[in-house]
Amino acid sequence: MSRYEFSLRQEVLMEKGASVLGNLYHYEREQNGQNHPVQLMYDLVWSAKQDILLATSEKELDHIEGQFDLAKRFLSGIEAGDNA
């Protein structure tokens, strides 16, 4: 992977992380801030997003993307539970 491709992937992950953070934030606001697990997931994603620019390998970016995917699945799961 070239340096350009690596930087582009970092930028894409920054956007993905921002999207996940926004979704978690809006869900927590809808719940009036009463959902502690959502806050913990928000903190995890925030930390992962900060790690993007510190990453030096594809493996690190893969790990960060996995955390974002986990957070998205988590949020989808709790939203589905709210609608049940």
Side-chain angles (χ1 to χ4, degrees):
M1 174 179 281
S2 72
R3 184 68 192 145
Y4 172 77
E5 292 170 321
F6 188 82
S7 295
L8 182 60
R9 181 147 184 233
Q10 285 178 305
E11 185 62 32
V12 168
L13 284 177
M14 292 290 285
E15 292 298 321
K16 185 174 185 176
S19 174
V20 173
L21 285 172
N23 292 339
L24 287 167
Y25 174 79
H26 289 295
Y27 179 82
E28 186 177 28
R29 291 212 21 136
E30 289 172 3
Q31 302 300 314
N32 297 318
Q34 297 176 7
N35 202 329
H36 187 62
V38 173
Q39 181 61 47
L40 292 174
M41 186 59 72
Y42 184 94
D43 293 344
L44 172 76
V45 172
W46 180 263
S47 293
K49 191 171 180 297
Q50 301 304 307
D51 290 341
I52 292 170
L53 296 177
L54 300 175
T56 58
S57 70
E58 285 183 67
K59 185 176 180 179
E60 289 174 298
L61 294 181
D62 289 342
H63 180 73
I64 292 166
E65 186 168 22
Q67 290 178 327
F68 293 162
D69 291 340
L70 173 67
K72 286 171 59 176
R73 287 192 306 269
F74 169 80
L75 186 56
S76 293
I78 59 173
E79 287 177 333
D82 287 347
N83 295 326

